[in-house]
């Protein structure tokens, strides 16, 4: 018995050893080294194009299938859908696509995004099953490995850099280390990001303001530039990361008790900005994650400080999966797992020209102006509502406004009626 | 986006178009950019082939019907004004639209949307959807998913349900009646165009 097992064992060991080596070499060459140097082989873009073709095919099949299902009850109105889609494609603005994407009729082979999924054809189900296998069996482990590598390197290297005396070398190294680790994290999510207008990138002494859809926003922005993060110190793994990051370069972390004190927060932020050697601060004024179709109210705090504001618009392509984190529904780990088992995260980042508060403009007006600029660029709807709606109750002033609008409507209809 | 220094004034008849269609200046500008993008030969007019270049349209089962909706019978080109007028059909209806009887039917009214949809079926524009035309559209939408017999029976049922005066064709009125319960504004509007 023993004789039988030994050669077999050896063989298995050798095979495992070889496959691990190959695996790590590929990982290193194709993913980690380019991340370090900031170059790209273009593999992700090729991947994205291939995915799109497959989605198109799947969508057509689903459309036909859905149609087939209702074929016995064919309605004359069924033509509306095709007519509308056709005209939309003629207009084919990036923006129309984004708007109509909410009613995502397309199927990106993730059942979680298509509630109407039912058995259409064997081919489609097989494709979906294959997709599941690839995503959970191959992509997820790969990505988790990369994520651990990225985070681990971040913690270790920033601590090492933190040992150096303050000066130019430290800043230089800190920048390189941060960029490298974030780039690895970007690859860990298979995020395909297109940056527009990089000449407007935020500079030292400024505040970078962006719309917030998910915690990934931070990684997306930080892999293209160095920012000082702002936030509350957490416990656990995130706390460890935060503490080691601040060793390498100054970030603005607050204790939980300090967060409530608005003056303290404002003071620390303005102190940071005045020091021109410190990196621009990254802030998400919405305060919470929004579902990437609209930009909700910007909290005015960051706009009171008086620094130059560099707005940034981030827009995710919904065809590849919904990046929105509904924190009241899913926890962070759950969310990250969902992200890592999607096909890819495709988004666009626009760096908008810097804005400053004008004479006679108060913080709220300035905030709204910046918000409008971001919404316009990203093709998002500019909404009045406070993002905190997701969790809390509507503030009374807004209720009043809506009541006014509604009563206008009612009175308007009354007038119509009396006229006709 | 930030580079568009061109204003609406560079576009001929922009104000009239805005008045007629209800589009805002921003939309007219955007549509003009799109028009120029589609106009590969830069001749200020679009031809059917220019529309054919839109990939998604080529995949659409009624793509050809949509394209021909832009061209009046006998015309081979369409200018910007007509382009915009057709697209205006897909503007969402303004809820508190108040107009007196003297004003023209707005481009995005339910009736105009219905007429557009009717045109998709009624290819020869004789005011009636014949059985043959219906079959053609059904074939395009269903492709090889259905057998010829199933196709015939579907068409038969549709005609029987809608054709009230038993002339074996569906007129516009019959079409409209059969869609009474459908929320036309929702289905035939492109929300971005609001």
């Amino acid at each position: 018995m023993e004789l039988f097992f030994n050669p077999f064992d050896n063989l298995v060991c050798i095979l495992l050893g070889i496959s691990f080596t190959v695996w790590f070499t590929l990982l290193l060459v194709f993913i980690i080294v380019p991340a370090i140097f900031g170059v790209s082989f273009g593999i992700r873009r090729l991947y994205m194009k291939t995915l799109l073709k497959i989605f198109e095919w799947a969508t057509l099949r689903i459309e036909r299938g859905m149609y087939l299902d209702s074929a016995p009850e064919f309605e004359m109105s069924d033509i509306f859908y095709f007519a509308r889609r056709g005209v939309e494609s003629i207009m084919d603005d990036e923006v129309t696509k984004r708007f109509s994407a909410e009613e995502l009729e397309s199927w990106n082979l993730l059942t979680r995004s298509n509630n109407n999924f039912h058995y259409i054809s064997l081919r489609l189900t097989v494709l979906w099953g294959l997709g599941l296998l690839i995503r959970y069996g191959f992509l997820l482990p790969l990505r988790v490995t990369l994520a651990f590598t990225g985070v681990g390197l971040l913690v270790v290297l920033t601590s090492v850099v933190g040992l150096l005396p303050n000066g130019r070398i430290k800043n230089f190294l800190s920048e390189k280390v941060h960029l490298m680790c974030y780039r690895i994290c970007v690859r860990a999510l298979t995020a395909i990001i297109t940056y527009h207008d990089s000449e407007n990138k935020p500079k030292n002494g400024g505040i970078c303001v962006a719309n917030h859809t998910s915690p990934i926003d931070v990684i997306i922005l930080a892999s293209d530039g160095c920012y000082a993060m702002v936030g509350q110190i957490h416990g656990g793994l995130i706390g460890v990361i935060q503490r080691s990051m601040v060793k390498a370069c100054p970030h603005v972390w607050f204790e939980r008790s300090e967060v409530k004190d608005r003056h303290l927060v404002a003071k620390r932020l303005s102190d940071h900005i005045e020091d021109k050697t410190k990196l621009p601060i990254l802030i998400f004024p919405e305060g919470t994650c929004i579902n990437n179709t609209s930009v909700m109210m910007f909290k005015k705090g960051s706009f009171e400080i008086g620094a130059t504001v560099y707005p940034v618009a981030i827009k995710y392509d919904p065809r590849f999966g919904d990046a929105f984190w509904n924190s009241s529904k899913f926890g962070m780990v759950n969310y990250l797992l969902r992200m890592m088992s999607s096909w890819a995260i495709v988004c666009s980042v626009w760096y908008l020209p810097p804005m400053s508060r004008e004479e006679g403009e108060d913080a709220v007006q300035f905030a709204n102006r910046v918000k409008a600029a971001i919404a316009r660029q990203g093709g998002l709807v500019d909404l009045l509502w406070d993002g905190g709606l997701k969790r809390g109750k509507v503030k009374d002033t807004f209720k009043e406004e809506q009541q006014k609008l509604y009563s206008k409507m009612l009175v308007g209809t009354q007038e119509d009626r009396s006229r006709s | 986006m930030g580079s568009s220094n061109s204003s609406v004034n560079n576009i001929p008849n922009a104000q009239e178009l805005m008045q007629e269609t209800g589009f805002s200046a921003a939309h007219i500008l955007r549509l003009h950019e799109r028009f120029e993008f589609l106009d590969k030969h830069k001749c200020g007019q679009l031809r059917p082939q220019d529309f054919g270049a839109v990939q998604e349209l080529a995949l659409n089962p009624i793509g050809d019907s949509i394209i021909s909706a832009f061209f009046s019978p006998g015309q081979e080109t369409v200018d910007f004004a007509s382009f915009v007028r057709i697209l205006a059909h897909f503007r969402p209806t303004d809820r508190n639209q108040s107009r007196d009887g003297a004003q023209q039917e707005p481009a995005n009214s339910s009736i105009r949307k219905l007429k557009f949809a009717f045109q998709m079926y009624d290819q020869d524009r004789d005011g009636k959807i014949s059985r043959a035309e219906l079959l053609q559209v059904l074939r395009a939408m269903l492709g090889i998913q259905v057998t010829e017999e199933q196709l015939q029976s579907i068409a038969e049922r549709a005609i029987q349900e809608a054709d009230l005066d038993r002339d074996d064709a569906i007129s516009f009125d019959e079409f409209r009646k059969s869609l009474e319960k459908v929320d036309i504004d929702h289905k035939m509007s492109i929300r971005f165009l609001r």
Side-chain angles (χ1 to χ4, degrees):
Chain A
M1 280 295 251
E2 286 170 352
L3 271 174
F4 179 71
F5 274 125
N6 275 342
F8 187 65
D9 261 347
N10 271 342
L11 198 62
V12 171
C13 281
I14 293 176
L15 275 176
L16 270 172
I18 294 182
S19 47
F20 266 125
T21 320
V22 170
W23 174 255
F24 274 111
T25 318
L26 282 177
L27 206 73
L28 204 70
V29 169
F30 281 108
I31 300 183
I32 298 190
V33 169
I36 298 178
F37 292 105
V39 293
S40 172
F41 280 119
I43 298 179
R44 279 174 293 156
R45 292 213 181 259
L46 185 65
Y47 170 66
M48 180 176 93
K49 288 203 181 81
T50 322
L51 275 179
L52 277 175
K53 289 221 172 66
I54 299 181
F55 291 166
E56 263 171 35
W57 178 85
T59 310
L60 277 174
R61 294 300 291 239
I62 272 227
E63 275 174 7
R64 290 243 171 89
M66 266 165 59
Y67 200 70
L68 188 61
D69 255 17
S70 57
E73 301 114 43
F74 162 69
E75 305 270 327
M76 296 294 278
S77 61
D78 286 343
I79 201 132
F80 288 176
Y81 170 70
F82 290 111
R84 200 194 74 209
R85 284 291 296 271
V87 174
E88 267 176 6
S89 65
I90 290 178
M91 285 172 41
D92 199 20
D93 228 34
E94 292 242 330
V95 184
T96 20
K97 269 215 182 107
R98 287 174 210 153
F99 265 84
S100 60
E102 290 141 45
E103 309 146 30
L104 210 53
E105 314 269 2
S106 137
W107 191 41
N108 54 5
L109 298 176
L110 294 170
T111 23
R112 58 176 99 113
S113 51
N114 186 324
N115 301 322
N116 298 329
F117 173 68
H118 47 270
Y119 185 81
I120 303 284
S121 76
L122 183 64
R123 226 184 288 182
L124 217 51
T125 315
V126 166
L127 194 70
W128 175 77
L130 200 67
L132 202 71
L133 208 67
I134 296 179
R135 279 189 295 126
Y136 282 93
F138 173 65
L139 289 177
L140 186 61
L142 171 67
R143 288 175 184 159
V144 170
T145 318
L146 278 174
F148 275 117
T149 316
V151 171
L153 277 177
L154 183 66
V155 172
V156 168
L157 289 176
T158 43
S159 305
V160 166
V161 170
L163 295 172
L164 293 171
N166 286 352
R168 272 189 47 207
I169 301 184
K170 184 178 184 185
N171 289 343
F172 175 72
L173 279 177
S174 148
E175 196 186 300
K176 292 292 166 228
V177 161
H178 273 110
L179 279 177
M180 173 185 105
C181 296
Y182 281 118
R183 285 198 195 114
I184 297 182
C185 288
V186 160
R187 280 160 170 81
L189 292 163
T190 316
I192 304 169
I193 311 168
T194 317
Y195 296 99
H196 303 265
D197 304 328
S198 292
E199 66 267 12
N200 292 326
K201 255 200 250 193
K203 303 192 177 40
N204 285 7
I207 299 185
C208 175
V209 155
N211 61 314
H212 200 30
T213 306
S214 90
I216 298 178
D217 291 343
V218 176
I219 302 180
I220 287 177
L221 287 180
S223 61
D224 193 44
C226 282
Y227 300 94
M229 313 273 169
V230 176
Q232 196 184 312
I233 286 253
H234 289 90
L237 179 63
I238 301 192
V240 171
I241 301 175
Q242 286 177 315
R243 272 178 265 269
S244 61
M245 273 170 66
V246 82
K247 286 185 198 148
C249 76
H251 296 283
V252 187
W253 302 125
F254 292 102
E255 302 290 334
R256 174 164 287 178
S257 49
E258 291 174 323
V259 173
K260 299 275 165 61
D261 187 346
R262 280 192 37 203
H263 291 293
L264 179 67
V265 169
K267 175 121 194 359
R268 273 186 69 178
L269 289 178
S270 18
D271 285 344
H272 183 108
I273 298 170
E274 265 153 30
D275 186 347
K276 295 294 175 206
T277 60
K278 294 196 180 160
L279 299 165
I281 301 181
L282 179 59
I283 290 187
F284 297 102
E286 279 163 315
T288 179
C289 292
I290 309 297
N291 74 350
N292 211 228
T293 52
S294 48
V295 176
M296 302 234 179
M297 197 183 86
F298 273 11
K299 306 242 186 300
K300 62 178 175 162
S302 4
F303 299 89
E304 284 173 325
I305 303 176
T308 324
V309 168
Y310 295 87
V312 174
I314 307 176
K315 181 66 182 169
Y316 290 86
D317 190 334
R319 286 178 297 177
F320 290 88
D322 190 5
F324 164 51
W325 181 37
N326 191 339
S327 47
S328 38
K329 250 175 134 190
F330 304 111
M332 170 76 94
V333 178
N334 195 329
Y335 171 72
L336 283 177
L337 279 177
R338 272 163 61 105
M339 285 298 104
M340 290 209 223
S341 58
S342 319
W343 289 113
I345 296 174
V346 181
C347 60
S348 292
V349 174
W350 284 271
Y351 293 105
L352 298 167
M355 297 168 118
S356 304
R357 185 147 71 135
E358 281 164 15
E359 288 288 316
E361 206 182 26
D362 72 359
V364 176
Q365 288 168 326
F366 181 35
N368 283 336
R369 194 159 58 92
V370 172
K371 176 166 74 91
I374 293 183
R376 205 181 317 128
Q377 181 60 74
L380 307 156
V381 176
D382 195 349
L383 290 181
L384 269 181
W385 291 112
D386 192 328
L389 254 191
K390 214 172 52 181
R391 276 184 277 261
K393 280 191 171 174
V394 185
K395 277 201 217 128
D396 279 322
T397 35
F398 288 131
K399 254 203 204 145
E400 258 180 273
E401 266 196 39
Q402 290 303 302
Q403 282 163 346
K404 269 196 226 151
L405 280 171
Y406 183 65
S407 57
K408 251 193 240 169
M409 249 172 55
L410 277 181
V411 172
T413 1
Q414 295 286 18
E415 276 182 296
D416 264 352
R417 265 192 229 138
S418 57
R419 224 185 288 162
S420 59
Chain B
M1 275 274 117
S3 64
S4 55
N5 265 327
S6 54
S7 79
V8 185
N9 301 321
N10 296 343
I11 303 169
N13 306 325
Q15 295 298 332
E16 284 147 12
L17 273 178
M18 281 165 58
Q19 191 87 308
E20 203 187 310
T21 59
F23 277 131
S24 67
H27 281 311
I28 297 278
L29 206 57
R30 220 182 197 121
L31 290 174
H32 190 70
E33 277 172 24
R34 181 65 181 170
F35 184 83
E36 292 194 320
F37 172 78
L38 289 172
D39 179 15
K40 302 282 187 227
H41 298 281
K42 302 284 163 248
C43 51
Q45 308 259 344
L46 289 181
R47 259 172 286 257
Q49 304 93 290
D50 294 319
F51 285 98
V54 179
Q55 232 188 350
E56 264 188 58
L57 198 57
L59 295 173
N60 194 309
I62 53 168
D64 289 327
S65 313
I66 297 175
I67 296 177
S68 50
F70 282 87
F71 298 88
S72 318
Q75 285 220 311
E76 285 180 5
T77 58
V78 57
D79 63 0
F80 180 62
S82 319
F83 180 69
V84 171
R85 282 194 198 107
I86 303 284
L87 291 178
H89 292 313
F90 284 83
R91 263 190 68 230
T93 35
D94 311 309
R95 305 242 168 225
N96 43 349
Q97 217 162 293
S98 59
R99 45 174 191 91
D100 45 80
Q103 258 184 347
Q104 223 195 7
E105 186 84 39
N108 61 341
S109 67
S110 300
I111 289 283
R112 296 288 275 263
K113 289 183 198 287
L114 270 176
K115 281 215 178 101
F116 189 92
F118 188 76
Q119 243 189 329
M120 297 293 103
Y121 284 109
D122 181 21
Q123 281 296 299
D124 57 6
R125 310 216 185 170
D126 63 353
K128 286 189 184 304
I129 306 175
S130 68
R131 187 185 292 266
E133 284 172 333
L134 187 59
L135 272 171
Q136 203 177 22
V137 173
L138 282 173
R139 226 174 258 125
M141 289 203 279
L142 291 167
I144 53 167
Q145 306 296 319
V146 216
T147 65
E148 187 62 32
E149 291 149 349
Q150 281 172 308
L151 214 63
Q152 295 281 351
S153 67
I154 293 173
E156 182 64 43
R157 261 196 63 238
I159 291 195
Q160 276 196 354
E161 278 183 7
D163 185 15
L164 303 166
D165 60 5
R166 300 276 155 246
D167 61 352
D168 213 34
I170 304 175
S171 69
F172 180 68
D173 274 326
E174 291 165 345
F175 183 68
R176 190 167 46 87
K177 279 220 178 64
S178 74
L179 293 173
E180 259 169 349
K181 303 215 180 72
V182 176
D183 184 359
I184 296 161
D185 175 51
H186 181 251
K187 294 200 169 182
M188 285 287 273
S189 295
I190 298 176
R191 286 177 314 164
F192 161 68
L193 290 178
R194 192 183 301 276

